[in-house]
């Protein structure tokens, strides 16, 4: 099983990482109609460094972070008001799609 490191400390970004973050933001925005709230601004670089912040509407943030780690091997950081997604170097576009799929599966359980 893959492990996706999404709990990396924000660092200055290069062009590849910029594209990766915009891809992640787009994937997370696609899930807003399913109950995900994207708390980061339209430009993920404008929010305390390059990251995307999400909240599962009506769900405990720490519990969702725990489940992402234990069930899907996606390591995230948790803030008081959301889950912070900041990909480590080496994370791929395919990994971002995997993260979206895992988040979507957790959102389906809310329905």
């Amino acid at each position: 099983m893959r492990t996706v490191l999404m709990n990396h400390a924000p660092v200055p970004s290069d062009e590849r990482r910029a594209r990766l973050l915009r891809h992640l933001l787009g994937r997370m925005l696609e899930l807003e109609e399913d109950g995900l709230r994207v708390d980061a601004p339209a430009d993920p670089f404008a929010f305390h460094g390059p990251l995307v912040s999400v909240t599962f509407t009506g769900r405990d943030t720490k519990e969702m972070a725990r489940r992402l780690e234990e069930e899907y091997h996606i390591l995230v950081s948790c803030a008081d008001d959301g889950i912070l997604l900041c990909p480590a170097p080496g994370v791929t576009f395919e990994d971002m799609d995997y993260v979206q799929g895992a988040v979507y599966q957790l959102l389906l359980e809310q329905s």
Side-chain angles (χ1 to χ4, degrees), residues 73-92:
H73 303 271
I74 299 169
L75 307 179
V76 300
S77 296
C78 207
D80 291 337
D81 56 353
I83 293 173
L84 306 178
L85 304 172
C86 184
V91 170
T92 65

Side-chain angles (χ1 to χ4, degrees), residues 40-109:
D43 181 0
F45 297 95
F47 186 71
H48 307 298
L51 59 86
V52 175
S53 176
V54 299
T55 303
F56 288 79
T57 306
R59 303 287 289 275
D60 179 75
T61 299
K62 289 184 171 127
E63 173 65 11
M64 293 296 97
R66 181 195 66 75
R67 290 191 62 198
L68 284 169
E69 182 173 344
E70 290 180 7
E71 296 173 27
Y72 298 97
H73 303 271
I74 299 169
L75 307 179
V76 300
S77 296
C78 207
D80 291 337
D81 56 353
I83 293 173
L84 306 178
L85 304 172
C86 184
V91 170
T92 65
F93 287 93
E94 182 181 67
D95 291 330
M96 296 297 91
D97 295 339
Y98 175 74
V99 169
Q100 181 195 29
V103 169
Y104 183 63
Q105 289 301 312
L106 293 176
L107 288 169
L108 286 178
E109 294 176 6

Side-chain angles (χ1 to χ4, degrees), residues 15-67:
E15 185 56 36
R16 181 193 173 280
R17 193 169 160 101
R19 287 192 318 269
L20 187 71
L21 278 160
R22 288 187 178 91
H23 182 75
L24 172 63
L25 178 61
R27 292 290 187 225
M28 294 300 104
L29 287 170
E30 289 174 3
L31 299 177
E32 282 189 316
E33 65 187 36
D34 297 305
L36 190 72
R37 190 176 81 224
V38 179
D39 302 312
D43 181 0
F45 297 95
F47 186 71
H48 307 298
L51 59 86
V52 175
S53 176
V54 299
T55 303
F56 288 79
T57 306
R59 303 287 289 275
D60 179 75
T61 299
K62 289 184 171 127
E63 173 65 11
M64 293 296 97
R66 181 195 66 75
R67 290 191 62 198

